Amino acid sequence: MSRRPIIFVTRELPSLAQRRLESLASVEIRQHNSNTAITRPQLLAGIKDADGLICLLSEKIDSELLRHASPNLKVISTVSVGYDHSHGLKLGYTPDVLTDATADTTVLLALMASRKAKQGLESVHSGTWGAFSLSRGLGTQFTDKTLGIVGFGRIGVATAHRLMPFGFKRVLYSASRPHEERARPLNAQFAELDELLAQADLVCVCCPLNAKTQGLFSMDKFRIMKQSAILVNTARGAIINQEDLLKALDQGLLAHAALDVTVPEPIPKDHPLVNHERCTILPHIGSATEETRNAMGNLAIDNALAGVFGEPLKAQVEL
Ligand code: 8YV
């Protein structure tokens, strides 16, 4: 190629990664430099003559969009571990670097739910804290309970390692197949999902969204869960049927749902789940630390550079 390859970037990257991006000499960077979401026409215009694309998961790259892309477009580099994009081109993603931050967020939500942090925070903010009570606002603890991990990949395993020191007596995991090596240090047992749901006191959803997991948590699953169980989802909103979740919470089929991911995102502030006293929602902050977002940005840059120069990507989605 006689000219420098063009990489189109749909968003400003975290500061360190952004600085690196701006210092690249071997490629021409074109960037949608606003912190607001890129519109579809802007995205179409951006990829018209690009050789590589760095984008977010929320900017769904579908086949219609790819038809408008430059014939030179060689690589899509998503700044996410999730890759529910259209395939057909080399697709880079950012696994591993966000495992710790996402597992940390799962622990955060599990503790918030078990210790009724939402209620506590609301009482502080509304001035209804009141006199000290030995019996009000009591949560539960994890000592001697059963932990259930749904999806035993990097994030599921890291979550189990973080949670076991809280005193769980055992950990069950469900996955498409047993993972004996990953399970051994945790003494974790493989279980069918229904068996896991019947026994777990804390259920952490750590599986990818795909045709099998879309709407996986619906009424039939909530009916199996313990009424005292806590459900945490840091994976994808669409894995849970939210209408069913609302009904299940109203009917007391589970104790609390703590979600970092919802459908849609952002979830409207008047959505019944937002205002439900037994539902805690965070605004998709799973990977939102300085360290992790910079590492994701850097890995996305590495993937894009490798793609435009015809080299193997550091982290390529294998389909
Ligand atoms: C991203 C995520 O920050 O990596 C993922 O799959 O959900 C988050 O870590 C977000 O999707 C931005 O692309």
Side-chain angles (χ1 to χ4, degrees), residues 20 25 54 59 61 77 102 113 137 160-161 175 178 195 197 227 256 316:
R20 179 177 163 219
I54 297 181
E59 291 141 11
I61 308 302
S77 172
T102 310
H161 277 286
E195 187 191 335
L197 294 179
Q227 295 189 347
H256 201 106
Q316 181 172 340

Side-chain angles (χ1 to χ4, degrees), residues 55-59 78-85 94 98 102 155 234-236 260-261 265 284-288 292-293 296:
C55 62
L56 298 190
L57 188 71
S58 46
E59 291 141 11
T78 183
V79 192
S80 62
V81 69
Y83 50 85
D84 8 333
H85 288 304
T94 62
L98 48 58
T102 310
I155 295 172
T234 45
R236 282 286 170 269
D260 185 48
V261 285
E265 291 180 6
H284 199 150
I285 59 163
S287 64
T292 291
R293 286 283 168 81
M296 291 166 74

